[in-house]
Amino acid sequence: MIEFSSITKVYDNGVHALKNINLKINKGEFLFLVGPSGAGKSTFIKLLLREEQATSGKIMVDGEDITKLSQRQIPYLRRKISVVFQDFRLLEDKTLYENVAFAMQVTGASPKEIRRQVPMMLGMVGLSDRAKQYPHQLSGGEKQRVSIARAIVNRPIILIADEPTGNLDPDTAWEVMKVLRHISRRGTTILMATHAKDIVDVMQQRVIALEKGNIVRDVQRGIYGYET
Ligand code: ADP
Ligand code: ADP
């Protein structure tokens, strides 16, 4: 479903951030992307989102080489590939319901679809009864769950989570992990970049480790594998 073939990224300053990456990601997989700072994790994510362009190689997403997309086509890619961030990035002046609905409105969804889909998504992340509240009324874990609901409301094929538990305490982090695992079991691929050793070790999912721009490990039911 997603395949990197001979992907290399060299930044303008000459840094080789990714070196000849080859990788296949299947539908519904849960993957952790790990590695020391500077290993190339963010670059990997940016190439998938087309925030950066590869220097060479191709990236097939759903049958299409996304390195070939024009600027005009990129918004469509961002519906297939959705992302949540460490800092949530919710709209503070909108309720939870409105935060999730807004993501559908910008894609031109009908009011009817929105009324159907938004409550379903809030239910999936366990926040049905909080729909009318504002982000400032929520805990960090709840904010992250809203941001996940918003990210999946347009049914992406892959959800990228960039350090999604980085701002959360351990208990809250596990609430977020349960939501992510639930979503992956329903068929959405999850790619989570993280330094959370305890989470990676307990979850026992596929682990891809990057170091200096190379994949140095790719293991099913893997562990974090670094000292923290
Ligand atoms: P990670 O997310 O694993 O910390 P990055 O992908 O951010 O790794 O960085 C990989 C390498 O590319 C590092 O050496 C970093 O300094 C370099 N790098 C990242 N972004 C840029 C950029 N915009 N311009 C130049 N070098 C960059
Ligand atoms: P399931 O839904 O499969 O019954 P849970 O969703 O309760 O299991 O937990 C998922 C995984 O996360 C389990 O492997 C469990 O050990 C781990 N886990 C859940 N909560 C915590 C926690 N607070 N601290 C450490 N590990 C946890």
Side-chain angles (χ1 to χ4, degrees):
M1 189 192 58
I2 295 176
E3 183 168 8
F4 282 58
S5 303
S6 309
I7 280 291
T8 291
K9 174 63 181 177
V10 184
Y11 284 107
D12 291 343
N13 60 0
V15 170
H16 286 60
L18 292 176
K19 301 168 186 166
N20 192 30
I21 297 293
N22 292 288
L23 181 69
K24 268 190 197 157
I25 299 175
N26 300 310
K27 182 172 159 56
E29 270 194 299
F30 198 126
L31 304 93
F32 289 111
L33 186 60
V34 306
S37 190
K41 302 182 296 295
S42 304
T43 301
F44 185 97
I45 289 171
K46 285 177 181 165
L47 293 183
L48 264 177
L49 293 166
R50 269 293 300 269
E51 286 176 14
E52 290 284 352
Q53 179 68 290
T55 306
S56 61
K58 64 180 186 176
I59 303 175
M60 299 299 292
V61 173
D62 215 8
E64 187 172 36
D65 182 359
I66 64 162
T67 68
K68 300 272 196 301
L69 296 180
S70 65
Q71 285 302 322
R72 192 173 48 79
Q73 293 170 306
I74 289 176
Y76 297 98
L77 176 68
R78 305 269 168 84
R79 290 179 208 174
K80 290 185 187 169
I81 304 186
S82 193
V83 59
V84 297
F85 303 95
Q86 181 170 354
D87 59 359
F88 322 127
R89 303 194 190 179
L90 298 174
L91 301 169
E92 294 293 329
D93 60 342
K94 291 190 189 293
T95 66
L96 306 196
Y97 186 98
E98 290 163 351
N99 264 277
V100 178
F102 185 68
M104 290 188 79
Q105 283 155 3
V106 298
T107 70
S110 72
K112 189 178 164 197
E113 282 175 277
I114 293 172
R115 279 197 304 274
R116 194 178 71 90
Q117 184 79 349
V118 174
M120 212 158 74
M121 292 298 124
L122 288 175
M124 186 139 75
V125 301
L127 291 170
S128 294
D129 52 343
R130 313 292 292 277
K132 290 185 176 144
Q133 295 190 321
Y134 288 85
H136 74 87
Q137 295 173 287
L138 304 184
S139 70
E142 289 165 343
K143 284 184 195 175
Q144 192 58 289
R145 282 147 59 197
V146 178
S147 95
I148 292 169
R150 178 180 61 180
I152 61 170
V153 74
N154 293 314
R155 304 180 177 282
I157 59 175
I158 179 168
L159 173 63
I160 296 174
D162 193 1
E163 285 282 1
T165 63
N167 283 340
L168 305 178
D169 61 47
D171 282 349
T172 320
W174 279 109
E175 288 171 20
V176 168
M177 294 313 300
K178 284 179 192 178
V179 167
L180 290 177
R181 199 177 49 177
H182 179 62
I183 292 166
S184 89
R185 285 182 178 158
R186 292 176 75 260
T188 307
T189 303
I190 309 280
L191 174 69
M192 172 166 160
T194 188
H195 290 287
K197 176 181 190 305
D198 48 341
I199 288 176
V200 177
D201 289 350
V202 169
M203 293 283 289
Q204 301 197 8
Q205 302 292 335
R206 182 172 171 192
V207 175
I208 295 164
L210 285 172
E211 283 177 29
K212 297 181 178 155
N214 296 298
I215 294 179
V216 294
R217 253 189 310 139
D218 181 353
V219 196
Q220 302 293 336
R221 300 174 69 81
I223 58 162
Y224 183 71
Y226 298 96
E227 295 306 317
T228 51

